Amino acid sequence: MTEIIIAAVVVGGTGLLLGLFLSVMGKKFEVPVDEKELAVRAELPGNNCGGCGFAGCDALAKAIANGQAACGQCPVGGAPVAKKIAAIMGEDAGDVAKKVAFVKCAGDCEKAPVKYEYTGVQDCSVMPFMPDGGAKTCTFGCMGFGSCVKVCEFDAIHIENGIAKVDRDKCKACGKCVAACPRHLIDLIPYDNKYAVSCASKAKGKEVISSCKVGCIACHMCEKSCEYDAVHVVDDIAIIDYEKCVNCGKCAEKCPRKIILLQGEKPVVKKEA
Amino acid sequence: MVKLLIIAISAALVNNVVLSRFLGLCPFLGVSKQIKTAAGMGAAVIAVVTVSSAICSLIYDAVLVPLDLVYLNTIVFILVIAALVQFVEMVLKKNSPSLYEALGVYLPLITTNCCVLGTALTNVQDNYNFIEAVVNGIGTSVGFLIAIVIMAGIREKIEYNDIPESFKGMPIVLLTAGLMSIAFFGFSGIL
């Protein structure tokens, strides 16, 4: 019996001594941790998805506390989390808008013809090595092999009828598909903006007409119709400035190709004369 | 004196803790990407192993043997090592945050690093007295430092080489470790 007690005392005593030593040293070598950082970390969702561009929720909390990141940097938490964090940081979260991924291509199987039958590896990244940069006639558009689908952790992007489509309700705007698209077709746009250009072709008008029924031909009609200076044609492609856009829909009305789409609506193909 | 020298050289080179006793491989492979972090890890291990050897030897000789509690050595040694690692972590966090970040998870993992406990147990097994135990601790950890720094140097150079696809990453590192181990066997003739 005494043996057991002695053993317990020895082990327990060692532990106690070391514990005391550590607590004393802990005080001595204390590193002040920013209280804001802890508070911010507590509000973050904790998925550690990396969608914010930092190594994880801890790293983002540190960056926000240091002022290196915006309060609304967390794409998963969205506006509610941004608000709480802003309250902690004493900032106004007013300008944090919910974003959503948007694929700048509407050339699905019917609208954009293919040059040849492709039966090789089903991945977007190999297409640049195929003859003519892939089977699709348009060399700017969505190839539909789903590199974006594979990286999406929220099941929010799918290939429908040959092109990628974003499920706007499921999308958390983490930006992984944006990085995955070899043709840089996916943008994060404000959720509340109703109009976006569903084309990314920088080809000249004539070329576009021959390769896709719904491509931007850089006719400048949208630019002329916009009263708010929000649409501009740069490099033969119309680009909407989402901050200036007031969702009036005039550009969409004027667009002869009907590619400035109300989100979620199908493009209307002009009947051939 | 000669015996101490032999213990030190034997621990550092001939029975190198990583390359011939195959202890402490986790940080050896984990933090050997850059010479600077590798040297930092080596220094942390030197601090922990040396002090833990000393304390463990003291506890063993002064407490465990007189009370006939030798069978408790592993659990007591682990306590000492865990506390020391915590202490080293505090010091690093305070004095060198960049090194603390670079070492990352491998720093607390020194606790479970078998090279630390291995050294403490070797001291007991070989009946080293206090001074011999400390020298053995220093020698062993210096051996770890040598191995991990050489490894980091080789890995920095490997970065620029054209490695076959299937060997990229960990395979080439393990191959390198194997070759280093064979090279270190050359030291076995000097004692």
Side-chain angles (χ1 to χ4, degrees), chain A residues 3-4 6-8 10-12 14-15 18-19 21-23 25-33 62, chain B residues 55 59 63-64 67-69 71-72 75-76 79-84 86-87 90-91 93-95 101:
Chain A
E3 266 184 29
I4 298 175
I6 291 173
V10 167
V11 176
T14 317
L18 290 167
F21 167 75
L22 276 185
S23 62
M25 284 306 162
K27 277 266 153 34
K28 205 170 179 189
F29 286 94
E30 197 174 15
V31 181
V33 180
K62 198 174 180 187
Chain B
I55 296 178
I59 290 179
V63 182
L64 295 185
L67 292 176
D68 206 16
L69 291 171
Y71 61 91
L72 282 178
I75 189 168
V76 173
L79 269 176
V80 173
I81 292 165
L84 277 174
Q86 284 290 314
F87 177 61
M90 284 175 199
V91 175
K93 204 171 179 180
K94 176 92 178 171
N95 294 336
E101 298 237 320

Side-chain angles (χ1 to χ4, degrees), chain A residues 24-76:
Chain A
V24 170
M25 284 306 162
K27 277 266 153 34
K28 205 170 179 189
F29 286 94
E30 197 174 15
V31 181
V33 180
D34 198 345
E35 270 177 39
K36 277 183 181 170
E37 188 183 326
L38 291 175
V40 170
R41 175 64 189 83
E43 292 302 336
L44 290 172
N47 301 35
N48 287 316
C49 68
C52 51
F54 290 91
C57 292
D58 284 335
L60 177 62
K62 198 174 180 187
I64 291 177
N66 293 340
Q68 288 161 340
C71 294
Q73 188 97 3
C74 177
V76 179

